[in-house]
Amino acid sequence: MKIIIADDYQELSRRASDLLLEVVKRDPYAVLGLATGTTPLGAYEHMIENHKKNGTSYLHVRTVNLDEYKGLPASHPQSYACFMRHNLFDGLDIDLENTYIENGMAAEEEEECARYDKLLRSLPRDVQLLGLGSNGHIAFNEPGTPFDSGTHVVTLAESTVRDNARLFAGIDEVPRKAFTMGIRQIMQARRVLILASGANKADAVFCMAKGPVTEDVPASVLRLHPDCTLIVDRAAAAKL
Ligand code: F6R
């Protein structure tokens, strides 16, 4: 795992977007694995700014997202589908038909997971962007998830529900279940870029980068990936 320590969130975001832009510039047909959450927001802003200033085109780019809350339609303001449109896609020239995410409203869980697994097989990702949960999760693969898991439905850990409550009207509004890409599929991306910012991620960053590789810390699996870059700011790197 290559570790880059940025001075602050601004530098982290710039470096992350530089890396993603490099992929898109090299291959206009690139497949990007994307994440929601607070951490990638700065990088997404840079990508939009770059598109407007320099005209980097996403017309042929395809994207696949990590996860989606179960029970929220794509039109719901707190759905991850809506998050992606609002924070990235609407600012680019990407064709929304080329952007993929699990269907949170799918009635048949197993069918939806099988559909997404098949989709992921047909769209090998050039890069997978990840945020890091304060409990070491990646996507919604909570501690204890087998490293060979495919797309599945998870019951979110209490700490994840608490962490995500800030984006909802109250903790009771946070869905307790979600569809998530599995760890096996994260590891199949050609390149992985994981970002962590802020003091509340310092323990998880330490366990991921320096502790044992264990299913108790899902992100630790990334140390086995041949091309994984971690970008952290100073606060998140405090315990390294
Ligand atoms: C988001 C995702 C999550 C977040 C993680 C960190 O699609 O899968 O794993 O990346 O919970 O969230 P933030 O960035 O909000 O701290």
Side-chain angles (χ1 to χ4, degrees):
M1 176 180 278
K2 179 178 168 196
I3 303 179
I4 298 174
I5 301 181
D7 277 340
D8 52 22
Y9 179 69
Q10 279 67 34
E11 191 195 339
L12 173 152
S13 301
R14 193 179 43 72
R15 282 176 170 256
S17 66
D18 283 353
L19 198 148
L20 294 168
L21 283 167
E22 188 190 302
V23 173
V24 173
K25 284 180 187 163
R26 198 183 323 124
D27 179 6
Y29 288 80
V31 180
L32 308 180
L34 297 178
T36 62
T38 313
T39 317
L41 285 176
Y44 291 164
E45 272 174 32
H46 279 293
M47 288 165 78
I48 293 172
E49 200 183 299
N50 167 275
H51 167 68
K52 296 207 165 120
K53 267 199 202 146
N54 307 325
T56 305
S57 177
Y58 295 76
L59 260 183
H60 304 295
V61 166
R62 284 158 302 162
T63 69
V64 279
N65 258 82
L66 290 171
D67 37 23
E68 179 59 285
Y69 286 119
K70 186 168 155 56
L72 297 192
S75 57
H76 191 286
Q78 258 77 40
S79 71
Y80 283 170
C82 191
F83 176 103
M84 290 308 299
R85 288 196 302 274
H86 183 73
N87 292 298
L88 184 63
F89 301 151
D90 288 351
L92 306 176
D93 60 347
I94 199 162
D95 180 350
L96 288 179
E97 295 285 318
N98 290 338
T99 67
Y100 302 95
I101 189 163
E102 296 95 331
N103 172 11
M105 295 305 285
E108 297 298 331
E109 291 181 1
E110 277 184 26
E111 241 172 62
E112 177 58 10
C113 294
R115 180 191 74 85
Y116 212 63
D117 278 348
K118 193 169 163 203
L119 177 85
L120 291 169
R121 278 196 297 277
S122 71
L123 287 175
R125 280 146 291 148
D126 293 285
V127 61
Q128 177 64 60
L129 177 65
L130 299 171
L132 176 66
S134 59
N135 64 357
H137 75 211
I138 43 175
F140 275 140
N141 295 286
E142 300 286 22
T145 307
F147 282 165
D148 65 353
S149 58
T151 303
H152 60 288
V153 173
V154 287
T155 299
L156 302 180
E158 256 323 291
S159 61
T160 303
V161 172
R162 272 198 308 276
D163 284 351
N164 290 1
R166 69 188 189 283
L167 304 168
F168 288 81
I171 194 159
D172 293 338
E173 304 282 308
V174 185
R176 283 349 196 220
K177 288 190 163 193
F179 287 94
T180 184
M181 192 188 286
I183 293 179
R184 175 165 43 88
Q185 293 147 332
I186 290 173
M187 292 295 280
Q188 280 166 352
R190 215 161 281 150
R191 186 166 189 187
V192 174
L193 171 61
I194 179 157
L195 311 177
S197 166
N200 67 323
K201 300 290 172 74
D203 285 325
V205 167
F206 174 80
C207 293
M208 164 177 63
K210 303 285 180 202
V213 173
T214 163
E215 290 176 354
D216 293 338
V217 181
S220 65
V221 74
L222 300 175
R223 302 227 304 276
L224 307 178
H225 193 283
D227 190 355
C228 174
T229 303
L230 161 69
I231 310 182
V232 269
D233 59 16
R234 290 210 177 279
K239 300 198 172 166
L240 285 183

